Amino acid sequence: MITRKRLAAALCGLLVTLTGGLSPVAAWADDGEPATAEREAPKVELVLDVSGSMRARDIDGKSRMAAAKQAFNEVLDAVPDEVRLGIRTLGADYPGKDRKEGCKDTRQLYPVGPLDRTEAKAAVATLTPTGWTPIGPALLGAAEDLEGGEATRRIVLITDGEDTCAPLDPCEVAREIAAKGIHLTIDTLGLVPDAKTRAQLICIAEATGGTYTSIQHTDELSGRVSQLVDRAAKPVLTPVATEGAAQCAKAPSLQPGLYTDRETFGQHRWYRVDVLPGQELRASVSIAADRAVDRDYGVLLRASTLSGREIVRGESAGDGRTDVISTGLRYPKPDIEDADSDKPAAETVCLRVSNSFSAPASVKTTPGLPVELSIAVVDGPDEAADAAFLGLGRGWWLLGVLALAGFVAGLLWGWLSRWRVAVWRTN
C-alpha cells in the first residue's frame, strides 16, 4: 500500500529530476581545483577601553561598560566564520595612581584566531572599569598581535576618552604604523566623545585610512563594529583621493571604484562618469559629520546630462542621531543599436554631490566634511536580472521549467490521491 511518506518521496524525486542541473555549480579550473583561489583569512582586533571613565551612565540609561559588553556579545554572534578575531583591553587591570604603571596597562584578552564565541564572551564578561587610558601602547600592542602574513588587518578602537599617556601621542603611533606599509587600518569609535577626544580619534583613523564614528547609543556601537568586521571579511577597494569641481565641465572623469573627497558645509561638488549604451551606472555617496553639527541635515546625489537635464537623483536626511548619512542612485542607459557603428559613443553623466550641513558658530568648518563616493558601471538591468534570478539560473526559461514542474507534480498528486482512495474503497 502506498503511504503518504512514499508519495511525498516520489514527488520530491520528480522535482529533483526536473530541476536538477538548473542550480549553479562551482566553477572549476582545468586542473580540477576551484577557479577562485582562496585568500588568507582576514584578521581583526577589537581594542576596548576599560578605564575608570567607562563607569559613566550616559548610554541608554546604563554605563558605557555595560553598553560595550552588550554590543560585544551581539558582534561576536555575527562575526563571519572566516575572520580571525582577537580582543585587547586598555586600562583593565591597574587601579593605582602611578602613571608609569598605568600606561603599561594593556593586554590581549583573547588571541587573534578562530573564534570560540562562548570563550570570548566569557572573557569580556569579566571586565570592570578600572584604570588609565593608554591608547598609544594599546595600538602598538594590537599591531604586534596582527603581525604576519598578507591578510587584511584591521584594528577597531573603542574608547570614551583621550589618551592619558603622553608624550606617546596615539596619533603619532598611528602614523608610525601606517609608515611601516603593512596595510593595517585603524577605525575609531568614540563613546559620547567630547571635542578633544573626537579630534584625537579622527587623527588616529585618518593616519591609516580608517574611519571615525561617534557613538551615542548601544545599537549604534554594535551595528558599526559589525560593519567594520564585515568590511575586513569582504574588503572594499582602497579609496582613491579625488577633488570634485564647482561645475561639471571641469569635473574629474571617474572610472568605477571608490573615491574620497572633502566638501565644505552646504557645498556642491561635481564628478563625471562615462556610461555606454546598455550599461547601468550605480553610484552612492556617504558624508561623515566628523565634528559637531546642527540637527536636521541632508545629502543629495544628482545625475544629469551635460546640458543640465536631470536624469535621476537620490537623497537622504538626518536629524543628528548618526554621524554618517548616505544615499545612492541607479541609471540604466538604453541600448541603442547602430548598424553604422561597432562602438557606440558613451554618454557623459554629471554627478553632483550636495549637502545641507550647518554647524554652531564655535565649530570650525574647515577642512570640509569627509566624502566617500562609490562608482560602478555594470551590464544593463535585463542581463543583471537574468543572472541573479532567484540565485538559481539565467533567464525566464527557468521560471517556465519550474512552473511546468509544479504543474506536473500537481497532476501526479491528484491522480495518485484518487487512485489511493479507489484502492481503499475496494479493500
Side-chain angles (χ1 to χ4, degrees):
M1 184 175 180
I2 298 178
T3 64
R4 291 180 183 271
K5 289 184 178 179
R6 289 178 179 175
L7 283 171
L11 290 173
C12 287
L14 174 64
L15 290 174
V16 169
T17 301
L18 288 172
T19 60
L22 297 180
S23 299
V25 295
W28 293 80
D30 294 337
D31 58 1
E33 294 296 324
T36 47
E38 293 185 5
R39 61 185 180 90
E40 192 175 342
K43 299 178 181 179
V44 179
E45 182 141 273
L46 307 180
V47 179
L48 178 61
D49 183 351
V50 196
S51 61
S53 58
M54 290 288 283
R55 298 191 190 98
R57 303 181 64 86
D58 53 7
I59 297 185
D60 299 331
K62 53 192 171 187
S63 72
R64 299 172 183 177
M65 192 72 244
K69 287 183 177 181
Q70 178 182 331
F72 264 55
N73 285 338
E74 294 173 1
V75 169
L76 292 172
D77 283 335
V79 172
D81 292 336
E82 65 268 28
V83 172
R84 300 295 177 255
L85 185 131
I87 303 172
R88 174 171 282 272
T89 62
L90 60 95
D93 300 312
Y94 179 71
K97 297 182 179 181
D98 186 330
R99 181 174 174 279
K100 185 176 181 180
E101 290 299 318
C103 289
K104 297 178 182 177
D105 186 8
T106 177
R107 64 183 171 92
Q108 193 174 43
L109 183 71
Y110 186 85
V112 178
L115 181 63
D116 183 322
R117 289 173 170 79
T118 301
E119 184 178 340
K121 288 181 181 180
V124 172
T126 64
L127 298 175
T128 302
T130 301
W132 296 65
T133 312
I135 294 177
L139 293 178
L140 288 173
E144 292 179 359
D145 298 339
L146 296 171
E147 281 184 350
E150 299 297 327
T152 300
R153 282 169 282 188
R154 200 171 211 102
I155 295 173
V156 180
L157 171 64
I158 302 152
T159 181
D160 69 338
E162 282 186 281
D163 178 270
T164 54
C165 294
L168 185 60
D169 184 350
C171 193
E172 290 300 324
V173 169
R175 292 190 181 109
E176 290 175 8
I177 291 173
K180 292 179 180 178
I182 57 177
H183 307 296
L184 191 157
T185 302
I186 302 174
D187 298 291
T188 58
L189 290 82
L191 305 183
V192 198
D194 57 26
K196 289 185 177 180
T197 299
R198 181 191 293 261
Q200 186 173 80
L201 296 181
I202 289 172
C203 182
I204 293 170
E206 289 185 344
T208 62
T211 60
Y212 162 75
T213 307
S214 175
I215 301 296
Q216 306 288 336
H217 302 279
T218 306
D219 59 347
E220 292 175 352
L221 178 58
S222 59
R224 184 56 176 159
V225 176
S226 293
Q227 287 176 354
L228 294 171
V229 173
D230 288 341
R231 179 172 288 191
K234 301 172 183 177
V236 296
L237 295 174
T238 302
V240 176
T242 189
E243 186 173 347
Q247 51 186 304
C248 184
K250 298 181 180 180
S253 181
L254 303 182
Q255 300 296 318
L258 190 65
Y259 298 88
T260 59
D261 198 354
R262 280 190 176 272
E263 188 171 277
T264 59
F265 287 71
Q267 188 181 26
H268 306 300
R269 286 222 164 187
W270 292 86
Y271 312 86
R272 293 187 299 168
V273 182
D274 291 333
V275 184
L276 289 168
Q279 291 184 329
E280 180 175 278
L281 168 64
R282 300 178 184 179
S284 64
V285 65
S286 297
I287 299 182
D290 60 356
R291 67 207 74 177
V293 298
D294 294 330
R295 297 179 67 89
D296 299 325
Y297 44 77
V299 60
L300 169 68
L301 180 62
R302 177 178 180 266
S304 63
T305 64
L306 285 171
S307 63
R309 178 179 61 84
E310 181 174 301
I311 302 171
V312 66
R313 65 167 57 191
E315 52 192 329
S316 183
D319 61 0
R321 290 182 56 86
T322 179
D323 281 288
V324 179
I325 185 168
S326 305
T327 190
L329 58 80
R330 298 173 66 175
Y331 167 50
K333 180 170 176 55
D335 193 358
I336 302 174
E337 295 185 3
D338 186 351
D340 299 328
S341 176
D342 295 331
K343 296 181 179 180
E347 175 186 8
T348 297
V349 176
C350 300
L351 291 177
R352 190 187 79 184
V353 176
S354 308
N355 76 81
S356 59
F357 280 95
S358 62
S362 59
V363 174
K364 293 183 178 180
T365 58
T366 56
L369 299 171
V371 175
E372 187 173 271
L373 181 63
S374 174
I375 303 293
V377 178
V378 300
D379 288 338
D382 290 337
E383 292 82 359
D386 287 347
F389 179 71
L390 294 179
L392 295 176
R394 296 181 61 87
W396 289 101
W397 64 270
L398 176 59
L399 179 61
V401 171
L402 291 176
L404 177 62
F407 176 72
V408 172
L411 288 178
L412 286 176
W413 179 262
W415 180 81
L416 290 172
S417 296
R418 289 195 297 272
W419 177 80
R420 185 172 178 274
V421 170
V423 171
W424 177 74
R425 286 177 176 175
T426 58
N427 292 336

